[in-house]
Amino acid sequence: MSYSVSKKFANMKPSATREILKATSDANIIAFAGGSPAVEAFPCDEVKKLSAEILEENPVSALVYGISEGYEPLRKTVADWLKKRNNIGKDDDTVIITSGGTQVMDLTTRVMTSEGDTIICEEPSFVGSLNCFRSHGCKLKGVPIESDGMDVVALEKTVKETPNAKFIYTIPNFQNPGGTTLSWEKRKEIYRIAKENNLLILEDDPYGNLRVEGEDVPAIKTLDEDGIVLYAGSFSKILAPGIRVAFAVVPKKIAKAFTIGKQVSDVHTAVLNQMIVDRWFKEYDVDEHIDEIRKIYRRKLNLMCDCLDKYCPSLEYVRPQGGLFIWVKLPDNVPMTDYCKRLVENKVAVVPGTAFMTDENAQCPYIRLNFSTPSDENIIKGVEIMGKVLKQY
């Protein structure tokens, strides 16, 4: 029979990151294309212990259906931790537990937009979120990022030219893929622009706990006196990505709509996984764990930057202060797509910059490198290969 795919999906392209990652099934490929935390940062022994305790003490409680908003003890744990650590959350906010951070993007778009509405995004931006927005039939308007985050002059102009915009999407800390951190001054400006134009802000912060140098910048959500900021966070980068436990902090006035959206999406996040995260907070020092994994990322980031400077001096990049990625600009004489293909032929996988553009047909002379997943040995070897391939041009 013939199949008719919905209009929303018919023109969508597969995630470039996921397609390139198929090549990494080859054990000989050096993968700079992923986005996973360093495996040495996983608290494996702790998770094994906590899982055994839960399943020994009361297995049924972990294996039954849960409530859509999330496991209640974990919701309180997250709310208390965010308030203490980041001053995030007010009396008129509530925490909803989600199945991974991208589900927050999905629920926000599902609940707060209609097909044909526009979402204003940083340019470039996380391909997973962009494809999520596209899947709901939304149009995308990109605003360029600068060394200190989104260009707020361009943002204000874009907002005025886009009457059907519903929210501004930003990754404020160690942006994916750009690696930039949004300055405090710009965070205040984005909040002002959103408030004056009756827009929401979706603040996606999966990397904020991975700062390796510099000072923390308060979240846009800390400014929120008007209930216009939706804050997304995740345990994928500080605990383990496969557990798929993340959260949204949303105004209580729209929490019911988000709960319904969750019910029609996946009913609830896995209860056992939520219980593991909750017990992890209660039995271990999570803040101390974060301090320890920051040491891992500091070493790996410095190593990759040192290798880029040594083997690829013609490449341009802004050294990030944390996160998992380095956004690298190729020389004018090096065609980006061809370079990415030649790297794969030489057993190195990177992500082409075009994957992160709001206009999928736009030209982009950048590539994204991930330093958290590969071993130190492969970082050195892979960047050296990048340099050798560059010399072919």
Side-chain angles (χ1 to χ4, degrees):
M1 65 174 292
S2 60
Y3 296 93
S4 178
V5 179
S6 75
K7 292 180 180 179
K8 290 185 293 186
F9 277 83
N11 296 318
M12 285 189 63
K13 300 176 182 178
S15 164
T17 308
R18 295 295 158 196
E19 291 301 301
I20 287 176
L21 282 175
K22 290 177 183 178
T24 64
S25 60
D26 180 346
N28 296 314
I29 284 281
I30 296 173
F32 292 162
S36 293
V39 294
E40 58 265 43
F42 293 2
C44 295
D45 291 339
E46 296 172 11
V47 173
K48 287 165 60 178
K49 174 179 177 292
L50 295 171
S51 303
E53 287 177 359
I54 293 167
L55 293 174
E56 176 66 27
E57 293 169 10
N58 190 355
V60 173
S61 66
L63 301 176
V64 297
Y65 284 119
I67 64 171
S68 299
E69 295 91 331
Y71 179 58
E72 196 58 42
L74 178 60
R75 294 178 69 200
K76 185 177 187 308
T77 294
V78 171
D80 292 345
W81 181 63
L82 288 173
K83 187 65 178 177
K84 178 182 177 182
R85 186 176 174 88
N86 305 106
N87 193 30
I88 290 172
K90 295 184 168 56
D91 291 342
D92 56 353
D93 286 319
T94 191
V95 171
I96 294 175
I97 305 299
T98 63
S99 301
T102 303
Q103 190 174 58
V104 183
M105 317 313 138
D106 179 68
L107 292 176
T108 302
T109 316
R110 183 188 301 270
V111 169
M112 306 307 299
T113 71
S114 299
E115 189 167 352
D117 286 340
T118 298
I119 298 169
I120 297 175
C121 310
E122 293 161 332
E123 181 92 280
S125 192
F126 173 48
V127 61
S129 293
L130 298 181
N131 275 342
C132 173
F133 302 151
R134 293 180 183 118
S135 75
H136 288 282
C138 290
K139 299 175 182 177
L140 305 178
K141 277 286 188 76
V143 175
I145 59 170
E146 302 172 308
S147 60
D148 60 347
M150 189 187 294
D151 181 339
V152 292
V153 174
L155 171 64
E156 190 150 32
K157 181 175 184 290
T158 300
V159 167
K160 293 185 184 304
E161 295 173 349
T162 315
N164 67 335
K166 288 301 174 74
F167 63 83
I168 300 167
Y169 174 67
T170 179
I171 306 171
N173 296 309
F174 326 121
Q175 201 252 13
N176 181 3
T180 58
T181 294
L182 191 63
S183 68
W184 178 235
E185 291 72 21
K186 286 191 171 183
R187 295 180 195 222
K188 291 186 287 187
E189 275 295 282
I190 290 172
Y191 185 82
R192 176 191 65 79
I193 292 167
K195 180 179 177 180
E196 290 179 358
N197 291 277
N198 197 32
L199 291 173
L200 294 171
I201 298 170
L202 178 50
E203 183 176 17
D204 186 11
D205 191 22
Y207 312 109
N209 289 303
L210 302 184
R211 176 174 288 281
V212 300
E213 61 181 69
E215 298 296 324
D216 287 334
V217 184
I220 302 173
K221 184 64 178 171
T222 62
L223 298 166
D224 192 17
E225 299 292 341
D226 305 279
I228 62 172
V229 182
L230 315 180
Y231 181 85
S234 173
F235 298 110
S236 291
K237 305 303 185 288
I238 62 170
L239 178 53
I243 286 182
R244 309 308 299 141
V245 176
F247 56 87
V249 181
V250 303
K252 289 179 180 177
K253 288 182 179 179
I254 58 174
K256 181 178 179 180
F258 270 72
T259 301
I260 295 171
K262 176 78 172 163
Q263 289 168 352
V264 302
S265 177
D266 66 351
V267 183
H268 66 84
T269 301
V271 178
L272 174 59
N273 296 0
Q274 294 184 74
M275 295 175 77
I276 290 171
V277 177
D278 185 56
R279 284 214 180 190
W280 184 53
F281 270 89
K282 290 171 178 171
E283 295 190 19
Y284 296 94
D285 188 333
V286 173
D287 292 337
E288 181 180 334
H289 170 76
I290 291 171
D291 289 341
E292 288 301 312
I293 65 174
R294 283 177 169 180
K295 295 175 184 177
I296 296 172
Y297 293 119
R298 183 178 297 112
R299 187 193 78 246
K300 294 174 82 73
L301 170 62
N302 288 338
L303 177 61
M304 182 168 273
C305 289
D306 289 345
C307 289
L308 287 170
D309 295 342
K310 179 178 180 180
Y311 298 116
C312 308
S314 63
L315 298 181
E316 298 178 24
Y317 67 94
V318 176
R319 189 187 191 96
Q321 294 184 317
L324 305 179
F325 307 109
I326 303 175
W327 186 234
V328 176
K329 186 176 186 295
L330 300 176
D332 292 341
N333 67 310
V334 179
M336 186 273 297
T337 302
D338 185 67
Y339 181 63
C340 291
K341 289 178 180 178
R342 290 199 196 185
L343 285 180
V344 171
E345 291 169 0
N346 285 271
K347 303 300 184 182
V348 175
V350 303
V351 186
T354 48
F356 306 99
M357 308 302 284
T358 56
D359 178 357
E360 296 175 285
N361 297 312
Q363 297 297 309
C364 181
Y366 286 82
I367 58 174
R368 192 194 73 178
L369 305 179
N370 165 251
F371 58 83
S372 61
T373 305
S375 66
D376 291 3
E377 179 185 3
N378 277 345
I379 288 175
I380 297 169
K381 182 179 178 181
V383 177
E384 186 175 6
I385 291 171
M386 287 176 57
K388 289 178 179 177
V389 175
L390 274 174
K391 289 179 181 178
Q392 297 175 11
Y393 296 91

